[in-house]
Amino acid sequence: CNLTGFWKNDLGSNMTIGEVSKEGNFNGIYWTAVKESKADIKISPLVGSQNLSSQPPFGFTVNWTFADSVTVFTGQCFVDKNGKEILKTMWLLRSRVDDIKDDWKA
């Protein structure tokens, strides 16, 4: 399973991952089709790392250029019986708040 390339999810968001280094590190860009911000969506940088196994677990962070937030994704790349590569992920979004008392809503 090779993470390098263009990926699109069920909601229309997409990302492009550059070459994965021999250590498993990679960079790329992410464009989300889903947002709560009123700001215009912009391409945002991502940086990540993967295990070097055949169907690798991986993780990456997106630093949103149009919002005061960061999202971390973790998942695994699978190859189905037809040879199609599929990414399954979970994510956690953290938004900036002005005061620690508002941490609960971040």
Side-chain angles (χ1 to χ4, degrees):
C1 208
N2 185 356
L3 294 179
T4 300
F6 178 81
W7 298 90
K8 187 172 183 177
N9 72 14
D10 298 339
L11 300 174
S13 299
N14 64 71
M15 69 178 173
T16 301
I17 295 177
E19 183 177 343
V20 178
S21 74
K22 64 183 179 182
E23 294 84 20
N25 301 315
F26 58 87
N27 293 295
I29 55 174
Y30 197 102
W31 182 86
T32 183
V34 180
K35 70 172 186 163
E36 289 192 20
S37 170
K38 295 184 190 300
D40 291 335
I41 295 173
K42 296 179 183 172
I43 292 173
S44 297
L46 69 82
V47 61
S49 185
Q50 73 163 66
N51 182 274
L52 298 174
S53 57
S54 62
Q55 293 192 101
F58 61 88
F60 62 90
T61 301
V62 177
N63 183 8
W64 302 110
T65 57
F66 60 91
D68 291 336
S69 60
V70 171
T71 301
V72 293
F73 293 80
T74 187
Q76 186 172 349
C77 186
F78 293 97
V79 179
D80 72 11
K81 63 183 178 181
N82 298 316
K84 181 179 179 182
E85 295 174 328
I86 300 168
L87 304 184
K88 290 294 193 178
T89 63
M90 299 178 74
W91 55 269
L92 176 65
L93 174 97
R94 175 64 189 217
S95 296
R96 183 190 160 282
V97 292
D98 290 324
D99 193 286
I100 195 169
K101 69 180 180 189
D102 296 321
D103 184 61
W104 65 273
K105 66 180 180 180

